[in-house]
C-alpha cells in the first residue's frame, strides 16, 4: 500500500505579514497531482490543518476544495487535529464526511478505533488517528497514571495495541500523531507544547506499529525507518531557511516493511539569512543570488545606520525581517541583549534563573522547581481550555 504522509499545512498563516494563501493553494494542487501521478492509495495528514482555532474563510475554502478533490479521486484521507486546530471545530460533520472517504480523527475517545483500508489480497491496513492530546484535558479520559505528554501518549498507544491485538494476523498498522518526539529537530515556528512538564516523548512510545506518521515539527526528518515527520509544506519562519520542504511517499509492503522517499513541495520564494554591516551587504557580489529571496538581514554595524530597511530593499526587494546585533568590543554576558540571553530557554529555565539571580546565586530547590512547574502547567492548561472554548 502506498501512503502519502503530510502535515502542518497551517492554512491561513502568513509569513511576516505576507499572505501565503496562494502558496498554500499551489501546495494543495501539488498534493492532489502527486496522488494521481504516484498512484497513492491513501493520504495521511498529521495535524495542524489550520493555523488557529478559528481560521479565516479563505483558509476553510482551500481545505474544502482539497477534500472534495481527494474524495472525487477515490483516495481515502485520514487526518487528525493538531495543537493549532480546534479539534471540535475541525471535527464537525466527521461522521458524515466519513462516507466520502475523508476520515477526521479529532476525538480522543476514538483513538482505539482504526480506519480500515483494504489492500487485497494482503489484508487490511489499520490506521489509528491520535489527535493532539493536551495532558491536562485528556489524562482522566485515557486513564493515564499522571499528567504529561509521555503518560497520555503511552495510554493512547496502549489502546491502539489492544485493538490491534484483536485484528486478524498479518494486519498492518499505521499511527498518526501530533507530538514532539525526542530526537526531532524543532524550528522557531512551532507553538510551545510544554504543558504537562517535559514536552518531548521517546520514539519507543510508538513501538508495535508498522509506520508512525508524525506532525508538529516543521522539518522533514526520519527518527527511525518507521517513525517520521513530514514537516510543513511551506516555511513559516526564517529558522526554516535550510529546510527542504517535502512529503513522504511511503510504501508499506505486505510483510510490514517500510520504504519511503521524499516528494518536493513547490517553493513560492526561497529564504535567505544575511549578516554583516549594511555597506558590506549592499556591495557583496556573493549575495546576488539572494536578491529574489525573502530576506532576514542581521545588521552588525556598531551604530544603527540611517534608513536601513529602505536601503536594503533597494537591493533585496523582499526583505521582510531586520535584526540589529551591533558588534561590541566586550562580548560578556552583561552586554548581550536580553532576547539573546533568553534564546532557546524554556519558561521554566527562565523562572529558575530569575530565582537564582534575586537570591544572589542560590537557585530553587526541588520543591520550588516543582511549584514553578505546576504554576506554568496551570496557566497553560487554562489557556488551552480558553482556546478550546473559543473554538466551539
Amino acid at each position: 500500500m502506498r501512503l502519502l504522509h503530510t502535515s502542518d499545512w497551517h492554512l491561513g498563516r502568513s509569513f511576516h505579514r505576507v499572505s501565503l494563501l496562494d502558496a498554500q493553494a499551489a501546495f494543495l494542487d501539488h498534493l492532489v497531482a502527486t496522488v494521481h501521478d504516484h498512484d497513492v492509495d491513501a493520504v495521511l495528514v498529521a495535524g495542524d490543518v489550520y493555523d488557529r482555532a478559528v481560521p479565516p474563510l479563505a483558509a476553510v475554502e482551500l481545505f474544502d476544495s482539497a477534500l472534495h478533490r481527494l474524495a472525487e479521486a477515490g483516495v481515502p484521507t485520514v487526518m487528525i487535529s493538531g495543537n493549532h486546530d480546534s479539534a471540535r471545530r475541525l471535527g464537525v460533520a466527521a461522521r458524515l464526511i466519513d462516507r466520502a472517504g475523508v476520515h477526521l480523527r479529532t476525538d480522543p475517545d476514538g483513538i482505539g478505533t482504526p480506519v480500515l483500508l483494504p489492500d487485497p489480497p494482503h489484508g487490511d491496513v489499520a490506521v489509528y488517528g491520535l489527535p493532539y492530546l493536551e495532558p491536562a484535558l485528556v489524562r482522566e479520559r485515557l486513564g493515564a497514571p499522571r499528567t504529561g505528554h509521555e503518560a497520555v501518549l503511552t495510554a493512547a498507544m496502549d489502546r491502539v495495541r489492544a485493538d490491534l491485538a484483536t485484528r486478524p494476523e498479518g494486519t498492518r498498522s499505521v499511527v498518526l500523531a501530533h507530538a514532539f518526539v525526542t530526537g526531532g529537530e524543532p524550528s522557531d515556528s512551532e507553538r510551545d507544547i510544554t504543558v504537562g512538564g517535559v514536552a518531548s516523548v521517546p520514539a519507543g512510545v510508538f513501538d508495535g506499529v508498522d509506520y508512525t506518521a508524525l506532525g508538529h515539527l516543521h522539518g522533514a526528518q526520519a527518527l527511525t525507518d518507521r517513525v517520521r515527520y513530514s514537516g510543513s509544506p511551506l516555511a513559516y519562519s526564517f529558522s526554516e531557511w535550510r529546510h527542504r520542504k517535502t512529503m513522504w511517499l511511503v510504501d508499506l509492503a505486505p510483510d510490514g516493511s517500510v520504504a519511503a522517499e521524499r516528494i518536493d513541495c513547490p517553493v513560492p520564494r526561497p529564504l535567505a539569512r544575511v549578516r554583516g554591516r549594511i555597506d558590506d551587504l549592499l556591495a557583496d557580489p556573493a549575495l546576488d543570488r539572494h536578491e529574489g529571496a525573502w530576506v532576514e538581514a542581521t545588521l552588525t554595524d556598531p551604530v544603527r545606520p540611517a534608513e536601513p530597511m529602505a536601503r536594503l530593499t533597494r537591493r533585496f526587494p523582499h526583505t521582510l525581517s531586520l535584526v540589529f546585533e551591533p558588534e561590541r568590543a566586550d562580548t560578556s554576558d552583561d552586554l548581550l541583549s536580553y532576547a539573546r540571553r533568553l534564546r532557546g530557554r524554556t519558561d521554566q529555565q527562565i523562572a529558575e534563573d530569575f530565582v537564582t539571580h534575586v537570591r544572589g546565586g542560590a537557585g530553587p530547590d526541588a520543591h520550588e522547581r516543582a511549584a514553578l512547574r505546576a504554576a506554568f502547567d496551570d496557566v497553560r492548561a487554562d489557556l488551552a481550555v480558553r482556546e478550546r472554548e473559543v473554538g466551539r
Side-chain angles (χ1 to χ4, degrees):
M1 175 167 283
R2 176 162 286 182
L3 309 169
L4 186 62
H5 169 198
T6 177
S7 72
D8 295 274
W9 295 354
H10 290 278
L11 299 180
R13 188 164 182 165
S14 60
F15 185 79
H16 290 266
R17 298 180 299 280
V18 174
S19 173
L20 292 177
L21 279 172
D22 288 345
Q24 290 171 336
F27 159 69
L28 292 174
D29 290 343
H30 170 69
L31 182 147
V32 174
T34 301
V35 167
H36 290 290
D37 294 344
H38 291 270
D39 296 322
V40 169
D41 295 305
V43 175
L44 312 177
V45 186
D48 280 353
V49 173
Y50 294 120
D51 189 56
R52 56 181 187 263
V54 184
L57 178 59
V60 177
E61 290 172 341
L62 278 182
F63 178 62
D64 180 65
S65 172
L67 294 190
H68 273 85
R69 286 185 286 170
L70 290 170
E72 288 167 0
V75 176
T77 300
V78 184
M79 60 177 58
I80 59 173
S81 50
N83 61 303
H84 279 248
D85 298 309
S86 164
R88 293 191 59 165
R89 212 172 262 273
L90 185 63
V92 168
R95 285 184 294 177
L96 180 62
I97 297 172
D98 248 14
R99 300 178 187 177
V102 177
H103 308 283
L104 295 169
R105 293 296 181 261
T106 63
D107 185 350
D109 291 336
I111 282 172
T113 303
V115 176
L116 295 176
L117 303 178
D119 186 26
H122 309 299
D124 291 339
V125 175
V127 181
Y128 298 87
L130 279 59
Y132 171 68
L133 301 172
E134 188 69 63
L137 301 180
V138 302
R139 172 192 170 184
E140 292 185 2
R141 292 170 69 180
L142 295 180
R146 58 189 179 279
T147 298
H149 287 278
E150 183 174 354
V152 298
L153 274 170
T154 297
M157 285 301 300
D158 286 344
R159 292 192 180 188
V160 168
R161 284 184 280 263
D163 179 84
L164 190 58
T166 69
R167 303 289 167 182
E169 185 177 354
T171 299
R172 289 162 291 165
S173 55
V174 173
V175 164
L176 282 74
H178 196 87
F180 186 177
V181 178
T182 305
E185 182 179 346
S187 68
D188 292 343
S189 51
E190 298 108 9
R191 181 181 294 169
D192 181 35
I193 57 171
T194 53
V195 61
V198 178
S200 63
V201 299
V205 165
F206 302 103
D207 286 351
V209 297
D210 295 308
Y211 184 72
T212 300
L214 293 174
H216 180 58
L217 299 186
H218 287 187
Q221 48 202 297
L223 304 185
T224 72
D225 285 344
R226 297 182 182 275
V227 181
R228 298 171 186 263
Y229 282 100
S230 67
S232 60
L234 299 170
Y236 292 114
S237 72
F238 276 103
S239 66
E240 302 173 51
W241 73 287
R242 293 185 185 274
H243 287 186
R244 175 188 164 198
K245 295 300 184 181
T246 60
M247 301 177 285
W248 285 111
L249 190 65
V250 179
D251 285 316
L252 187 60
D255 64 358
S257 60
V258 172
E261 65 173 297
R262 294 173 71 177
I263 303 295
D264 288 295
C265 296
V267 178
R269 191 178 295 280
L271 305 186
R273 278 178 156 171
V274 298
R275 180 184 180 89
R277 297 193 178 196
I278 192 167
D279 289 338
D280 295 334
L281 296 182
L282 295 175
D284 187 352
L287 301 181
D288 288 351
R289 67 188 188 279
H290 298 318
E291 290 179 357
W294 279 322
V295 170
E296 179 181 75
T298 299
L299 300 184
T300 61
D301 301 70
V303 178
R304 183 174 299 209
E307 300 183 332
M309 183 62 84
R311 294 169 64 188
L312 284 167
T313 54
R314 282 196 285 270
R315 182 178 187 189
F316 307 106
H318 305 287
T319 301
L320 299 181
S321 176
L322 194 54
V323 180
F324 294 96
E325 292 186 4
E327 298 168 351
R328 300 180 187 273
D330 183 355
T331 58
S332 66
D333 285 346
D334 288 339
L335 292 178
L336 290 175
S337 70
Y338 185 67
R340 288 180 65 194
R341 282 187 279 124
L342 297 187
R343 187 176 299 160
R345 301 187 69 72
T346 66
D347 291 342
Q348 178 83 16
Q349 291 170 325
I350 292 168
E352 291 181 12
D353 288 350
F354 176 76
V355 173
T356 303
H357 171 72
V358 298
R359 284 182 175 171
D365 60 24
H367 293 294
E368 291 167 332
R369 285 195 297 272
L372 287 170
R373 185 177 300 111
F376 281 122
D377 288 350
D378 287 343
V379 170
R380 293 192 181 104
D382 183 62
L383 288 173
V385 170
R386 292 183 184 181
E387 286 194 359
R388 188 177 177 187
E389 293 293 333
V390 169
R392 287 181 177 175

